[in-house]
């Protein structure tokens, strides 16, 4: 744990100092991406020298789908089918995702709606 605390102390330049633990955790685990919808608190000027990037959840999910659309669509279909209260059609799921701000994710999934 001492290494982690030292990393927190070494992280400087974030607009919100309370976010230093997030960057320290990413460094400790050799992560390449911090997934957050609070992008303004993780500026490129601070992250780039640390070989880190901040991505929104929407961009991260859309990128993950693009890596292997077949597996991603199958996994999302499996999750959708498990929904019981309420049950959701593929179209309803996409509408709900879009309402939640996952517009890039929906764009990545729309061509596969018949498989969802």
């Amino acid at each position: 744990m001492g290494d982690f605390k030292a990393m927190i102390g070494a992280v400087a330049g974030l607009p919100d100092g309370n976010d230093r633990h997030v960057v320290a955790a990413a460094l400790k685990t050799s992560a390449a991406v911090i997934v957050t919808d609070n992008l303004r608190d993780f500026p490129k000027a601070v992250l780039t020298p640390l070989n880190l990037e901040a991505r929104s959840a929407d961009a991260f999910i859309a990128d993950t789908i693009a890596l292997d659309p077949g597996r991603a669509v199958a996994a999302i279909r499996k999750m959708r089918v498990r929904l019981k209260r309420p049950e959701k059609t593929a179209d309803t799921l996409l509408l709900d995702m879009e309402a939640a701000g996952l517009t890039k994710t929906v764009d990545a999934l729309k061509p596969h709606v018949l498989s969802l």
Side-chain angles (χ1 to χ4, degrees), residues 37-58:
D37 286 321
N38 194 11
L39 296 172
R40 69 179 176 274
D41 280 355
F42 296 92
K44 288 181 182 183
V46 174
L47 297 184
T48 299
L50 301 172
N51 293 318
L52 288 170
E53 175 187 8
R55 306 274 298 166
S56 70
D58 185 28

Side-chain angles (χ1 to χ4, degrees), residues 36-116:
T36 179
D37 286 321
N38 194 11
L39 296 172
R40 69 179 176 274
D41 280 355
F42 296 92
K44 288 181 182 183
V46 174
L47 297 184
T48 299
L50 301 172
N51 293 318
L52 288 170
E53 175 187 8
R55 306 274 298 166
S56 70
D58 185 28
F60 183 81
I61 295 167
D63 289 347
T64 301
I65 291 167
L67 290 173
D68 192 340
R71 286 180 63 187
V73 168
I76 293 167
R77 176 183 169 68
K78 191 174 191 179
M79 290 187 305
R80 182 191 63 78
V81 168
R82 288 181 180 168
L83 295 173
K84 299 298 179 201
R85 294 185 186 179
E87 292 182 6
K88 294 186 187 230
T89 65
D91 289 323
T92 303
L93 178 65
L94 292 180
L95 286 172
D96 288 351
M97 292 171 110
E98 192 166 44
L102 299 175
T103 56
K104 292 177 183 175
T105 300
V106 170
D107 288 345
L109 291 173
K110 275 184 182 175
H112 308 283
V113 70
L114 296 177
S115 299
L116 289 174

